Amino acid sequence: MTTASPELREKIAHTIRFLSVDAVEQAKSGHPGAPMGLATAALELWDGHLRFDPGDPSWALRDRFVLSAGHASMLLYSLLHLFGYDVSLDDLRRFRQLGARTPGHPEYGDTPGVETTTGPLGQGFANGVGMALAGQMTRARFGGDGDGPGQHFVYGIVSDGDLMEGISAEAGSLAGHLGLGNLIYLYDDNRITIDGATDITFTEDVAARFGAQRWQVQQVDGEDSDGLRAAIGAAREDTERPSLIVMRTTIGYGSPNLAGTSKTHGAPLGPEESAATKAAAGWPDTPFHIPDDVSAYLSERVAAKRAGRAERDARFEAWQGREPARAEAYASQCERALPADLVDRLAADWGKAATRVHSGEALNRVAADAPFLVGGSADLAASNNSRIGNAGDVATGDFAGRNIHFGVREHAMGAIANGIALDGTFAPYAGTFLVFSDYMRPSIRLAALSELPAIFVFTHDSVFGEDGPTHQPIEHVDALRSIPNLTVFRPADGLETGMAWAWALERAEGPVALCLTRQGLPPLERPSGFAPRDVWRGAYTVVETDGAPDVVLLASGSEVSIACEAAAKLSSEGTRARVVSLASLELFAELPKAEREAIVPSDGTVVVAVEAGRGESLQRYVGPRGMVYGIQRFGASAPAADLAAKFGFTPDQLATQVREHLSHA
Ligand SMILES: Cc1ncc(C[n+]2csc(CCOP(=O)(O)OP(=O)(O)O)c2C)c(N)n1
Ligand SMILES: [Mg+2]
């Protein structure tokens, strides 16, 4: 409950505004306008509603706050500082400086209290949907008598830019469909973006749009604390719909000459206008000024937040006492406890099938003992083999299942998966065709930047299918490999697929992408001495030669078995061909150099990289004498066997080309 008088409230709002203005002035860069226009609303939310403990930012029962308009980062940093998080005034002074915990846009992991990395507009909106879904799934799974976990709200601030981005339409649609009543967004309806007023590009009826998407929609003046309080209260009351509170606001609020203009969006006000703005507010012209009564009031509020936490924890403990089995299950789920025999289970008994089929099998071999795993696909569940058997579906108002139908919404699916991962109770996976990884790439990139435990399941990973070039990835494996922190697997058979899942569950410290075939593959025959964990080295020898090889065939996924057959032909003609399976380029690159050299030498031995795609990422391993045997054009629509012949991906053609290459090398 807010206890501040209207005068004190205004003073605190000014404090938030001018901390933001001053930090941007100091950095000579940043976005003052949105924090100025949002200070009153954000204060109402943080002071009066948001449940948190600044001393323990990862307290599981806290409300989440997502600043989707990440450019308004100084708003968040000011709030974090004022509400007792470990963000000092010096941190604010170091806004946007190298190594500071106040980077230009909020970055998860850099700053206590930052719940997600935002800045690419729209992502935070969809992250919040994922967090709210995770909250509902937690509540459904562990019991909902009000004291157990998952009872919190997810609040967010979203901007014009957020709502223009398509991802907000996708995520908003799913949130409304599912009825995520624990999701409350404040929309900064300042009608300004960078290029000017929104009437040049964005004149749709946003309230009607969200109403049509089954949201509760309310409209308030963003400077009206009482109105905001009532609206947030009504939003909390509506447990069956997400809520959008459309707040009419003024960008650069209080600036005598620039308020309401895009000039305040992304540049310092400048010394003169800052001074004029402070003068108009009756504010001293001391940078980073925090009045004593503001500090005193906020210390009280922080103490009250801590007391609120203690009270909530006590209720939670009472719940644990009443529900020991559920409490135990919840605790072990949060710890991500895995079965001890995970690797054994995933290493053995694989037959001949497509790796997408193996992937579904791997998922289901562990799902019962990895209850934190939840996920689904963007309307391709049967193609992606992404279903967990006997686990039920997430549906409107019914969150007990583990299978999520994301609908045909790849971009939102990626960001919602990230939100589920950020919530911390579940580990998500999300599937589609590899070619559509482009539709979710911005979210994959953020999963990687934030090192989130998300698993992206991409099937139909090459040209081998009738759908034609629109559906046939050529550049996608390379493109995924180019994202830092993302581990990409392209397994060659069931064992490799199982070990890729095992690595994703047991070892990964960030997101994992699995690139899986549509077409069936034979199980590889491996040399004696092979151990399943060799897959985790990223590459290992599948076919060894007697004596030093004349050529090394470095193949991935479906091309490994082709390379093995080609190697047999070459050997029968006296050319010693080693075959290496490259399950994951990233893991291979991390091996010590000597171990890498023992598998793929750079001593002049000819290396031919074999991958049904552009193979740009393999260039560095083939050296000046080798070659990439890939596909340098878009695919074509035809039966798989015809495509294999056309693009040279048959053992005979590969052997012929390698022989030809060796004769010149
Ligand atoms: C995906 C994406 N595209 C473009 C940008 C660059 N950008 C930053 S803020 C912004 C729009 C600003 O309008 P709004 O979201 O209404 O914020 P306000 O100016 O009201 O603070 C743009 C285009 C971005 N951050 N993310
Ligand atoms: Mg705006």
Side-chain angles (χ1 to χ4, degrees):
M1 245 259 315
T2 306
T3 52
S5 65
E7 294 72 29
L8 182 56
R9 273 206 307 257
E10 176 166 74
K11 226 169 165 180
I12 306 171
H14 279 330
T15 308
I16 295 169
R17 284 184 188 111
F18 292 123
L19 286 177
S20 305
V21 166
D22 290 340
V24 172
E25 288 299 316
Q26 172 108 359
K28 299 191 171 61
S29 124
H31 301 77
M36 295 168 81
L38 286 164
T40 301
L43 173 61
E44 175 55 34
L45 176 62
W46 277 57
D47 186 355
H49 309 271
L50 198 67
R51 188 151 59 188
F52 59 92
D53 175 355
D56 183 5
S58 54
W59 177 43
L61 307 180
R62 73 195 183 280
D63 289 332
R64 286 8 179 219
F65 175 74
V66 174
L67 181 66
S68 188
H71 60 274
S73 56
M74 265 315 303
L75 173 72
L76 180 51
Y77 301 148
S78 301
L79 290 162
L80 291 171
H81 171 68
L82 293 170
F83 279 95
Y85 283 83
D86 189 8
V87 175
S88 68
L89 216 46
D90 269 348
D91 291 324
L92 302 191
R93 289 198 182 94
R94 298 206 349 102
F95 180 48
R96 294 187 159 229
Q97 304 309 304
L98 199 61
R101 52 176 60 177
T102 47
H105 293 78
E107 289 185 49
Y108 178 70
D110 278 10
T111 316
V114 167
E115 297 279 3
T116 177
T117 297
T118 53
L121 289 163
Q123 295 292 329
F125 183 113
N127 292 158
V129 171
M131 292 177 191
L133 177 56
Q136 297 282 4
M137 292 172 76
T138 302
R139 194 186 299 193
R141 187 176 288 197
F142 298 105
D145 68 358
D147 294 337
Q151 305 288 335
H152 57 273
F153 284 91
V154 178
Y155 295 99
I157 291 181
V158 304
S159 68
D160 299 310
D162 283 309
L163 300 192
M164 283 194 214
E165 289 291 351
I167 188 172
S168 71
E170 295 178 15
S173 170
L174 186 60
H177 166 78
L178 291 174
L180 301 181
N182 55 345
L183 180 66
I184 301 175
Y185 282 163
L186 309 183
Y187 166 34
D188 183 22
D189 179 21
N190 62 19
R191 304 191 187 174
I192 292 290
T193 62
I194 294 178
D195 279 3
T198 49
D199 62 12
I200 61 174
T201 50
F202 190 53
T203 49
E204 71 200 36
D205 183 340
V206 170
R209 164 179 147 193
F210 277 83
Q213 287 190 336
R214 301 173 168 221
W215 287 53
Q216 181 206 57
V217 181
Q218 304 175 78
Q219 317 229 20
V220 298
D221 181 329
E223 292 301 328
D224 172 9
S225 297
D226 296 337
L228 284 161
R229 183 171 323 132
I232 293 170
R236 294 167 61 111
E237 294 276 297
D238 190 333
T239 55
E240 292 181 359
R241 288 182 299 173
S243 290
L244 187 76
I245 300 175
V246 181
M247 310 185 302
R248 195 64 185 92
T249 56
T250 304
I251 192 168
Y253 179 86
S255 160
N257 301 300
L258 299 178
T261 72
S262 59
K263 290 203 175 75
T264 65
H265 161 85
L269 298 184
E272 278 174 33
E273 189 63 14
S274 298
T277 309
K278 288 181 182 175
W283 204 253
D285 198 10
T286 328
F288 300 97
H289 173 64
I290 302 177
D292 289 342
D293 51 351
V294 168
S295 296
Y297 171 77
L298 289 170
S299 317
E300 267 174 41
R301 293 302 298 145
V302 168
K305 297 281 180 192
R306 292 201 155 125
R309 183 218 165 129
E311 181 272 333
R312 179 68 183 91
D313 280 348
R315 287 197 288 120
F316 183 70
E317 278 158 30
W319 171 80
Q320 288 174 310
R322 288 197 300 278
E323 299 272 7
R326 285 180 164 185
E328 169 63 31
Y330 174 64
S332 102
Q333 176 165 325
C334 291
E335 277 167 23
R336 300 261 199 285
L338 282 165
D341 66 342
L342 179 82
V343 169
D344 295 341
R345 249 194 247 184
L346 289 173
D349 297 330
W350 294 102
K352 173 182 159 64
T355 52
R356 63 175 166 138
V357 174
H358 294 311
S359 172
E361 162 88 20
L363 172 64
N364 281 282
R365 284 191 194 180
V366 298
D369 294 313
F372 53 84
L373 255 187
V374 297
S377 140
D379 201 44
L380 290 168
S383 295
N384 301 149
N385 299 80
S386 57
R387 281 196 68 82
I388 298 176
N390 304 318
D393 290 354
V394 167
T396 303
D398 177 1
F399 302 99
R402 297 174 67 179
N403 292 294
I404 303 170
H405 292 284
F406 289 98
V408 192
R409 301 181 180 101
E410 293 83 6
H411 196 181
M413 173 171 73
I416 290 170
N418 291 349
I420 294 173
L422 286 159
D423 164 84
T425 315
F426 298 93
Y429 63 88
T432 184
F433 292 153
L434 178 59
V435 79
F436 301 135
S437 61
D438 283 345
Y439 271 49
M440 52 196 295
R441 189 171 173 88
S443 306
I444 300 170
R445 183 174 192 272
L446 286 171
L449 176 60
S450 309
E451 299 182 30
L452 301 180
I455 301 174
F456 300 109
V457 178
F458 296 127
T459 69
H460 300 59
D461 73 343
S462 69
V463 294
F464 302 119
E466 291 84 356
D467 279 332
T470 55
H471 283 56
Q472 293 166 340
I474 290 293
E475 72 278 28
H476 297 73
V477 173
D478 288 323
L480 290 172
R481 286 180 184 146
S482 74
I483 299 179
N485 296 353
L486 178 68
T487 305
V488 181
F489 281 93
R490 190 163 183 260
D493 67 356
L495 186 150
E496 285 194 13
T497 308
M499 291 307 294
W501 269 99
W503 195 88
L505 293 171
E506 196 180 283
R507 302 286 295 269
E509 286 171 2
V512 174
L514 307 177
C515 302
L516 305 164
T517 65
R518 169 188 192 248
Q519 74 278 18
L521 300 178
L524 298 180
E525 279 176 35
R526 296 178 170 83
S528 62
F530 168 83
R533 282 184 179 80
D534 289 348
V535 174
W536 292 354
R537 294 157 59 79
Y540 61 93
T541 299
V542 182
V543 175
E544 192 46 296
T545 51
D546 276 338
D550 301 313
V551 61
V552 173
L553 303 180
L554 175 64
S556 80
S558 45
E559 285 67 72
V560 179
S561 51
I562 297 173
C564 289
E565 281 190 56
K569 280 185 206 303
L570 290 165
S571 297
S572 70
E573 297 159 6
T575 301
R576 290 179 301 225
R578 173 190 295 172
V579 177
V580 173
S581 177
L582 181 67
S584 168
L585 187 73
E586 294 75 23
L587 296 185
F588 183 55
E590 279 173 19
L591 283 187
K593 185 158 188 277
E595 292 183 37
R596 232 170 35 225
E597 290 282 329
I599 302 168
V600 183
S602 64
D603 60 359
T605 308
V606 173
V607 177
V608 176
V610 189
E611 189 165 85
R614 294 209 68 188
E616 284 295 327
S617 53
L618 306 176
Q619 288 287 359
R620 71 174 125 142
Y621 290 109
V622 302
R625 298 187 67 220
M627 69 166 171
V628 169
Y629 192 89
I631 301 175
Q632 305 307 329
R633 47 158 284 180
F634 290 115
S637 172
D642 295 353
L643 291 168
K646 161 122 185 102
F647 292 121
F649 282 84
T650 62
D652 277 344
Q653 284 165 296
L654 176 58
T656 304
Q657 290 299 318
V658 169
R659 209 182 300 114
E660 160 80 12
H661 183 78
L662 284 173
S663 69
H664 302 295

